[in-house]
Amino acid sequence: MSTGKVSITLDSEHTVHESEHTDALGPQNQQRIIASNEILARQVQAFLEASEDVDADIETIEDILEVLNFDESEDNATADADAPDTHHDHEEDSHDEESHDGHDMSMSFLRSHHDTSSSQENDVWSKQEVKQMTHLLKERGSSTFIEEYVKTRNIPILKLLDAFKIHLCPELQNRKPKTMLYFLRVALAHVLRKRDKLPQYNTIQDAVDLIRKSQRILILTGAGININEAFAGVSCGIPDFRSRDGLYSSLKTKGEYDLDDPQQMFDINYFRENPSVFYSFASQIYPSNFVPSPCHRFIKLIEDKGKLLRNHTQNIDTLETLAGVKKVLQCHGSFATASCLLCRQRVPGTEIEADILNHKVPLCKSCNPTPTAPIKPKKTSKKKAKGQWDSDVEDESDAPEYPAGIMKPDITFFGEKLTDDFDHSLAEDRWNVDLLLVIGTSLKVSPVAEILSHLPHSIPQILINKTPIRHINPDIVLLGNADNVVLHLCKELGWELPLPPEPVQTATPNPSVTRSQPPRRNTKKRPTSGDDSDATSSQTPPPPPERVGDSHVWLFEGAEGGRWLHDLKRRLGIAKSTTSSAAPSGYNTRQSTPATSSPAGKNGDARREAKKARIA
């Protein structure tokens, strides 16, 4: 008896389309076949999407896709007649825009459907065994888990998947060993993302106590430590990358450079083709003469007190080093050194500083021993009206525009790998850290974004950021301008920030170059309350932080909670018109100071209510 066949295709909306080939089975059995193949297609889709986060080589991907290779001669004919156009343009998908709810939905197809007649046995693991396995995974990481259960105990991967409620379709249960190991890694990565909050830490006082008692603090930082809207002149003057007013948005809006996408500014292939575009812009982000922010000096203070394990920074400005921090790893490289693209010779970044500030393309002195005429950025002419001829563009020579041996700052561009220092440092730090501080980063760029999943889940985590991060679950969330938050913590700790260093004189720049440099303040008179000297006495002090209900979330000036904060208040049963309690000390967990206690309090409440109206 012939059996029914089903063609499965995925369109750009990941919709599954089925088309029957024969009608040999009854309607009920046909529906079972359709449902079964839909689950298979969804599971394949989930594993393919997971390859964005979990490494998979082309052989593994092809092995997964092979399960969808039905009799194409039959299926394609029927699909052409009965199914809609399902061409899938992968370039239209944006992984960065996918929510983690979407990731969970894909994973649900690995968990929810279990054919007991052909899949793993039920209840092969006791609750205690699963608890022990999960604890090992969360504390020691996926590599240790695989070493213990796969290599040492030789437990079949299907059985291990069952412990995490992952039930594969029969077609996926006998793939190549490498593919099966990939399935397990996907399951483990999903568990590692689901960190449980440590319930004993909730208040600002808890954060203060953790910082005071910890001796090996790991700090992850991003562009948010360079920006402070509250105090004019305090911020470093260096733009971030991804905010609505950040570098990429500015590049796109102004359209001054010949870029199809703003991120091309940091694309290694584009740089090799036209380095002048980067060097016509690089002076705007070059760190020379910028003053470290209170956040940089807070990290220095933690190091001075012998508490810093390491600062993993995603910033390329070297301001941590300028602040005096020794235990710092620039994960994405920096301007501190530069290398030749041809001979790979590395030199101090100061050797190309003058060229950067004068918008010139620097050349390797070894590859170009004979001085050449300075290379100025090529002008990109405006688009002409239709029918007009631009002789400057049309008459370009076919000769190479640049000599061999272009120098490039040792910044990790898109298309380049991070250095081995990152992996070595992470492997060392994960077993020594006793507190994690995440400051001024949205953790959207891998592999730095994955650091948290490599740390033991029992390590306390504190987030200091302007906006919440949806894909992590820190124990204490301090939302607001990062400088304001660390100044408040210093006040509660009784610490005094070190003075900002004097700016270093740069190489002689082009006088026409305009750069964002905050003015120097008088730093001789310093208050003893922990407030930063950069904030002048004429400025109104920021309002005290306010707690969101009885949660672990605290709002400082500059906080932008958006939908995340709205949903949190709804879960806590906080009415829209109800304000969170404002604690003058910053860590009173129950009682609050009346809003009418002082004129300053009224002004602070008014500012907060106005801000809430904007971010709600």
Side-chain angles (χ1 to χ4, degrees):
M1 182 172 99
S2 64
T3 58
K5 294 184 179 180
V6 179
S7 173
I8 306 295
T9 54
L10 302 178
D11 65 13
S12 60
E13 298 297 328
H14 304 305
T15 302
V16 177
H17 299 273
E18 307 88 0
S19 59
E20 296 180 23
H21 294 181
T22 63
D23 195 22
L25 298 178
Q28 184 176 2
N29 288 333
Q30 289 181 30
Q31 290 301 319
R32 288 178 180 174
I33 293 176
I34 291 174
S36 174
N37 282 279
E38 179 177 352
I39 295 169
L40 173 61
R42 293 290 190 177
Q43 289 194 353
V44 168
Q45 175 186 326
F47 283 122
L48 294 180
E49 290 176 351
S51 66
E52 296 282 354
D53 301 317
V54 181
D55 288 339
D57 57 24
I58 187 63
E59 181 183 352
T60 299
I61 297 299
E62 289 176 349
D63 190 37
I64 296 173
L65 289 172
E66 190 174 302
V67 302
L68 296 181
N69 290 337
F70 298 104
D71 185 355
E72 295 183 1
S73 60
E74 271 187 61
D75 293 351
N76 291 342
T78 308
D80 291 341
D82 300 333
D85 181 14
T86 58
H87 175 69
H88 186 184
D89 185 355
H90 292 281
E91 294 182 357
E92 294 178 0
D93 295 336
S94 175
H95 176 72
D96 290 339
E97 296 177 358
E98 287 181 3
S99 69
H100 287 267
D101 293 339
H103 177 271
D104 290 340
M105 185 178 297
S106 295
M107 291 298 296
S108 70
F109 280 91
L110 304 180
R111 294 174 178 270
S112 304
H113 307 281
H114 189 183
D115 182 359
T116 57
S117 64
S118 59
S119 187
Q120 302 96 302
E121 297 179 3
N122 287 315
D123 302 326
V124 295
W125 298 99
S126 68
K127 291 183 179 180
Q128 183 61 28
E129 288 174 322
V130 173
K131 184 177 180 180
Q132 292 174 349
M133 297 169 67
T134 304
H135 178 77
L136 175 68
L137 173 62
K138 290 185 174 183
E139 292 304 302
R140 306 295 291 180
S142 59
S143 296
T144 301
F145 182 94
I146 291 172
E147 184 71 27
E148 172 67 21
Y149 284 94
V150 178
K151 297 182 180 179
T152 302
R153 301 194 189 187
N154 199 27
I155 297 176
I157 288 180
L158 280 179
K159 186 176 180 180
L160 292 174
L161 289 173
D162 191 72
F164 299 107
K165 307 300 181 185
I166 301 297
H167 308 302
L168 301 179
C169 289
E171 294 87 346
L172 292 173
Q173 292 179 21
N174 296 300
R175 309 315 300 167
K176 296 177 180 179
K178 185 189 295 186
T179 305
M180 298 303 296
L181 186 60
Y182 169 71
F183 292 160
L184 178 60
R185 290 187 182 278
V186 170
L188 299 182
H190 182 71
V191 174
L192 288 173
R193 289 191 189 93
K194 300 295 184 179
R195 176 183 183 269
D196 294 326
K197 178 192 175 306
L198 303 179
Q200 65 268 39
Y201 305 118
N202 296 284
T203 67
I204 294 180
Q205 183 61 52
D206 292 333
V208 169
D209 291 341
L210 283 169
I211 295 172
R212 182 175 283 122
K213 74 177 184 180
S214 298
Q215 297 300 316
R216 299 180 303 278
I217 303 176
L218 183 65
I219 303 179
L220 305 185
T221 52
I225 70 172
N226 294 338
I227 301 166
N228 188 338
E229 298 173 357
F231 298 122
V234 172
S235 62
C236 306
I238 302 175
D240 70 340
F241 284 80
R242 289 176 173 77
S243 71
R244 65 173 176 268
D245 299 319
L247 184 59
Y248 292 148
S249 176
S250 176
L251 289 172
K252 185 175 182 179
T253 301
K254 293 180 180 179
E256 297 178 1
Y257 305 96
D258 188 19
L259 301 172
D260 296 326
D261 185 298
Q263 294 190 52
Q264 277 186 317
M265 184 66 75
F266 299 96
D267 183 275
I268 185 59
N269 294 321
Y270 189 82
F271 180 87
R272 291 178 186 276
E273 293 175 2
N274 193 1
S276 64
V277 174
F278 173 79
Y279 283 112
S280 66
F281 159 82
S283 64
Q284 299 182 36
I285 59 172
Y286 192 71
S288 180
N289 285 339
F290 289 120
V291 178
S293 71
C295 283
H296 295 106
R297 287 141 54 199
F298 178 65
I299 299 169
K300 169 61 174 173
L301 184 56
I302 289 178
E303 184 176 53
D304 288 345
K305 293 183 177 293
K307 293 176 173 289
L308 181 65
L309 176 62
R310 202 183 316 269
N311 173 204
H312 289 251
T313 179
Q314 299 171 84
N315 298 331
I316 59 177
D317 47 50
T318 68
L319 286 178
E320 297 84 7
T321 302
L322 184 58
V325 180
K326 300 292 192 298
K327 298 179 181 178
V328 59
L329 176 66
Q330 276 102 9
C331 300
H332 296 159
S334 72
F335 284 96
T337 58
S339 298
C340 173
L341 293 180
L342 183 63
C343 72
R344 307 309 303 169
Q345 179 181 3
R346 176 172 291 184
V347 300
T350 52
E351 291 198 12
I352 68 169
E353 182 177 289
D355 285 336
I356 290 176
L357 297 182
N358 287 283
H359 298 178
K360 298 178 182 177
V361 178
L363 301 178
C364 174
K365 295 178 180 178
S366 297
C367 297
N368 299 275
T370 303
T372 60
I375 302 176
K376 286 283 189 177
K378 180 182 69 175
K379 289 185 177 180
T380 55
S381 61
K382 299 290 184 180
K383 290 184 177 179
K384 300 294 182 179
K386 187 174 182 180
Q388 291 186 354
W389 176 54
D390 186 344
S391 59
D392 290 338
V393 175
E394 299 295 336
D395 288 347
E396 288 180 356
S397 170
D398 291 334
E401 187 175 355
Y402 306 101
I406 299 294
M407 298 297 294
K408 170 187 166 294
D410 289 328
I411 300 167
T412 305
F413 277 31
F414 293 113
E416 292 185 303
K417 283 184 148 186
L418 297 191
T419 65
D420 292 338
D421 292 342
F422 175 81
D423 292 328
H424 295 159
S425 297
L426 180 57
E428 179 182 342
D429 293 345
R430 66 178 302 177
W431 307 125
N432 297 309
V433 59
D434 59 5
L435 174 64
L436 175 69
L437 298 182
V438 179
I439 309 178
T441 173
S442 58
L443 292 178
K444 289 184 178 179
V445 181
S446 294
V448 175
E450 299 299 319
I451 288 180
L452 274 68
S453 66
H454 289 277
L455 301 181
H457 286 207
S458 59
I459 301 301
Q461 299 180 3
I462 300 174
L463 171 66
I464 300 172
N465 201 42
K466 193 178 186 69
T467 59
I469 304 177
R470 293 175 178 269
H471 58 279
I472 67 173
N473 192 21
D475 304 305
I476 302 172
V477 177
L478 309 178
L479 296 183
N481 294 323
D483 283 349
N484 291 347
V485 178
V486 301
L487 291 175
H488 186 87
L489 291 175
C490 283
K491 180 179 179 180
E492 297 299 327
L493 286 160
W495 293 358
E496 185 174 332
L497 287 180
L499 292 168
E502 292 293 332
V504 180
Q505 183 63 39
T506 66
T508 305
N510 186 336
S512 64
V513 176
T514 59
R515 306 179 64 244
S516 301
Q517 169 58 32
R520 290 283 296 172
R521 300 284 186 180
N522 179 10
T523 57
K524 293 182 179 180
K525 296 181 180 180
R526 294 188 57 80
T528 58
S529 63
D531 294 334
D532 192 77
S533 61
D534 295 319
T536 63
S537 58
S538 62
Q539 291 171 324
T540 304
E546 56 181 279
R547 189 177 186 180
V548 180
D550 285 334
S551 75
H552 62 300
V553 178
W554 295 77
L555 306 180
F556 289 73
E557 188 170 34
E560 295 181 1
R563 173 65 63 180
W564 182 89
L565 182 59
H566 173 78
D567 292 342
L568 174 63
K569 289 183 176 181
R570 179 171 50 80
R571 291 196 301 271
L572 295 173
I574 301 175
K576 289 184 178 180
S577 59
T578 303
T579 59
S580 304
S581 60
S585 65
Y587 55 85
N588 188 333
T589 61
R590 294 293 179 184
Q591 298 179 355
S592 61
T593 301
T596 58
S597 59
S598 68
K602 291 180 181 179
N603 293 337
D605 287 341
R607 285 195 299 270
R608 290 194 296 273
E609 291 304 318
K611 188 173 290 292
K612 287 179 183 177
R614 292 197 300 271
I615 66 178

